[in-house]
Amino acid sequence: MKAIYGLYETPRGAQRAFNGLREEVQVRDITVMSSEPLEEWEFASQDRVTFMPWIAAGGAAVGLISAYLLTAVTQQTWPIRTGGMPIVSNWTNMIILFELTMLGAVLATVLTLLFTARLPAKLPKIYDPAVSDGKILVGVDAPADSQLASIERALHSGHPIAVHRKP
């Protein structure tokens, strides 16, 4: 594994390094790690776009349709005398409809979270124990040899504590 990264004390330095790296490599190739959320900084918002609400709504719709089919088919398969009332009554099925709708939404959300967060995952490609002590890691995994010098200059633009190269 070949990687190069810098460790920064402040989010301002990490942002400067991130801006410099953006000119050298694609944004998706830049790794940023912090032990605390830094949502107000641009480097922390690179993975913000998500379709999770739409996927959860789709899971809820699948759950609702499944619940309706389950109750309707079951009640029509084993009909009982209802005294002139309909065999399939949605008011009496409302609890099952609600529960399976929520089950569909929750399962879709959890599966989407696991997939987008790449869980369960192996150890991260770039990691330094200093991240646990409050430092911010900004780096690039597997850069081309021709890019190493420019990437190192970009990392130094943020005044890092240290810049490391992993062979």
Side-chain angles (χ1 to χ4, degrees), residues 72-135:
V73 169
T74 302
Q75 290 169 350
Q76 290 174 352
T77 303
W78 293 289
I80 59 172
R81 292 190 191 130
T82 58
M85 294 172 40
I87 291 176
V88 177
S89 170
N90 287 333
W91 289 109
T92 58
N93 297 336
M94 203 61 75
I95 294 172
I96 296 168
L97 294 173
F98 174 78
E99 293 296 336
L100 287 182
T101 300
M102 291 300 106
L103 179 65
V106 168
L107 286 178
T109 302
V110 168
L111 291 175
T112 304
L113 174 69
L114 292 175
F115 180 75
T116 57
R118 297 174 189 96
L119 294 174
K122 296 179 180 169
L123 293 174
K125 295 178 181 178
I126 304 175
Y127 183 73
D128 194 291
V131 172
S132 300
D133 296 330
K135 307 299 183 267

